[in-house]
Amino acid sequence: AATAQITPQAVENLGLTVRQAKGIQRHLWQLGHDPGTIDGQLGTNSWKAMQRSLRSYGYSDAIDGIVGPNTIKALQRMLKQHWGYSGAIDGIAGSGTRAAFARCGTAWANNYGY
């Protein structure tokens, strides 16, 4: 009998806690970019929603759900403008990018009561 292969959905929270990631997901949903289940796991659907959001603000074009260098660069542009990121727009999710993303996630988690 043939067995169906199941490919697990990749989750990349970039260092966010479940609470912070839920804040991000809820904010994306509020903006009209459906991240799927608000579960604190930034998987493909959440990243596609993030990419749609970043594109709507002119930061990015790609919508593929992959957290690659172009998505990180777009995220860094947004974080630089709104969340105190002061590093290079280099597509590397280093400590500065992660810290700014965490500030963003904490703010939205607090806003939505997570």
Side-chain angles (χ1 to χ4, degrees):
T3 304
Q5 289 191 349
I6 299 173
T7 304
Q9 183 177 17
V11 173
E12 179 53 75
N13 278 17
L14 295 181
L16 297 186
T17 65
V18 167
R19 178 180 176 274
Q20 291 166 329
K22 283 183 178 181
I24 296 290
Q25 289 172 317
R26 175 73 182 271
H27 187 62
L28 291 167
W29 182 80
Q30 290 289 125
L31 292 173
H33 305 291
D34 183 6
T37 304
I38 297 175
D39 59 2
Q41 303 298 314
L42 300 181
T44 303
N45 290 333
S46 293
W47 280 106
K48 283 181 180 179
M50 175 66 78
Q51 290 166 337
R52 286 190 296 273
S53 177
L54 292 168
R55 183 171 73 176
S56 74
Y57 291 106
Y59 297 117
S60 176
D61 291 328
I63 298 176
D64 58 10
I66 297 169
V67 189
N70 291 333
T71 297
I72 299 300
K73 285 179 186 177
L75 182 64
Q76 288 170 328
R77 287 183 190 98
M78 184 273 294
L79 294 171
K80 187 172 281 254
Q81 187 169 4
H82 300 287
W83 296 101
Y85 175 66
S86 59
I89 306 298
D90 59 7
I92 299 169
S95 60
T97 301
R98 290 170 183 257
F101 197 38
R103 284 191 295 277
C104 178
T106 296
W108 290 119
N110 290 343
N111 184 64
Y112 297 117
Y114 291 112

